[in-house]
Amino acid sequence: MERVYNFSAGPATLPLEVLEQAASEMTNYGESGMSVMEMSHRSKDFEDILEKAKSDLKELLNIPDNYVILFLQGGASAQFSAIPLNFMNKNNKADYIITGQWAKKAFEEAQKYGDVKAAASSEDKTYSYIPKTTNEDFRDDIDYVYITGNNTIYGTKYNELPDTGDIPLIADYSSSFLSEPLDISKFGMVYAGAQKNVGPAGVVIAIIREDLLGNENKLTPIMMNYKVQADNNSLYNTPPTYGIYMAGLVFDWLKRNGGLEKMKEKNIEKANILYDYLDNSKLFKPTVNKEDRSLMNVPFVIGDDELEKKFIKEAQENGFVNLKGHRTVGGMRASIYNAMPLEGVQKLVQFMKKFEEENV
Ligand SMILES: *Cc1c(COP(=O)(O)O)cnc(C)c1O
């Protein structure tokens, strides 16, 4: 079986070069005589892997010196609890912008811990746009504002960040992390589950402004305490060592391939091919407000269940897999992360054109 074009939203496609490098080092890493999986997390070899991953990430995103980089576990979803526990403790208040299911889940979880309000929402139009906000939309005594930077399920993204003044902005960038440059200095915290654009499931990368640490709720489970994780350089307990190693290989791959400016260029080129076709197709329709379209997750519909099933099935038979939309929204979704080659998108569009000709 040849490798397919995998349009899965996550766990998702990874660069072949990276997988091959990992395969070549699988049983014997460097001079260690063992696999990274078999290595102590306190060994010199692993320490080097962790430090290189951190310094490459810092370089890729130009992370300022007053931010810590953490490798955490529990998925992005564990941070939905950890964020209020760590940060909602001065006034016990936070505002959330609800742009999709992930934001909503984070919002509902945070409500357990304090006075949490939805400052804006795009639920009225099935999350097909990013609601515009001004500073006035936020209460002035809140501990933070929370957003989802890229909405994996609905295919929207923030192109202009909400103006929160001095209030820390916390953002879930799970599905677009490292797809383009991001000005970390505008955030109190940015985090991302690795399995969308960075590596295997099991690692969450968190970048946190140092002065926000150390103010956690007394009941915060120790594993969710960001200050403890920071003080221990993500080694409070055994971290997801192999996942960190893989993320490190992806960071190195990004650096070798021109960094995030170059990645953005490539991602825009890929997304435009797909959106241009969708905007002109007589069969397929894009679902997202033009100015808010994600570069990573592209949902589209035909509007006929039978035809959609047929499309997904025939696509699969032709090597374009995982195009089914999220179970809650139906239709189709092509996730075209960093590792999806231009050729994969070009061939998908060719296939869609052919399907359109045969079925209109
Ligand atoms: C996938 C995803 C999540 C959930 O990630 P888990 O690691 O499964 O908890 C949260 N937020 C966004 C934006 C996602 O894309």
Side-chain angles (χ1 to χ4, degrees), residues 74-78 80 102 148 150-152 172-175 193 195-196:
S77 301
F80 297 171
W102 297 120
T148 310
N150 182 81
N151 295 283
T152 327
D172 174 359
Y173 271 93
S174 291
S175 48
Q195 73 272 24
K196 309 289 164 61

Side-chain angles (χ1 to χ4, degrees), residues 274-281 284-286 288 290 293:
L274 195 46
Y275 285 123
D276 284 350
Y277 168 65
L278 290 170
D279 283 333
N280 293 299
S281 168
F284 299 100
K285 296 274 165 291
V288 172
K290 250 186 187 167
R293 288 173 173 177

Side-chain angles (χ1 to χ4, degrees), residues 110-131:
Q111 284 177 321
K112 291 181 187 167
Y113 303 105
D115 174 359
V116 174
K117 189 179 153 224
S121 167
S122 52
E123 193 169 8
D124 60 336
K125 290 186 183 159
T126 339
Y127 302 117
S128 58
Y129 69 104
I130 297 286

Side-chain angles (χ1 to χ4, degrees), residues 3-16 18-19 194-200 250 253 270 321-322 335-341:
R3 273 178 67 81
V4 293
Y5 291 114
N6 180 5
F7 294 92
S8 169
T13 188
L14 286 169
L16 181 57
V18 165
L19 295 174
Q195 73 272 24
K196 309 289 164 61
N197 208 19
V198 175
V250 171
W253 174 81
K270 285 187 289 180
V321 311
N322 289 321
S335 294
I336 49 175
Y337 295 120
N338 287 346
M340 175 58 64

Side-chain angles (χ1 to χ4, degrees), residues 3-7 13 266 269-271 273-274 311 315 318-321 323 334-352:
R3 273 178 67 81
V4 293
Y5 291 114
N6 180 5
F7 294 92
T13 188
K266 288 185 182 172
E269 186 184 2
K270 285 187 289 180
I273 291 173
L274 195 46
F311 171 74
N318 283 273
F320 308 101
V321 311
L323 282 165
S335 294
I336 49 175
Y337 295 120
N338 287 346
M340 175 58 64
L342 175 66
E343 189 193 68
V345 179
Q346 288 169 330
K347 287 190 172 163
L348 173 66
V349 168
Q350 272 171 27
F351 174 77
M352 288 168 76

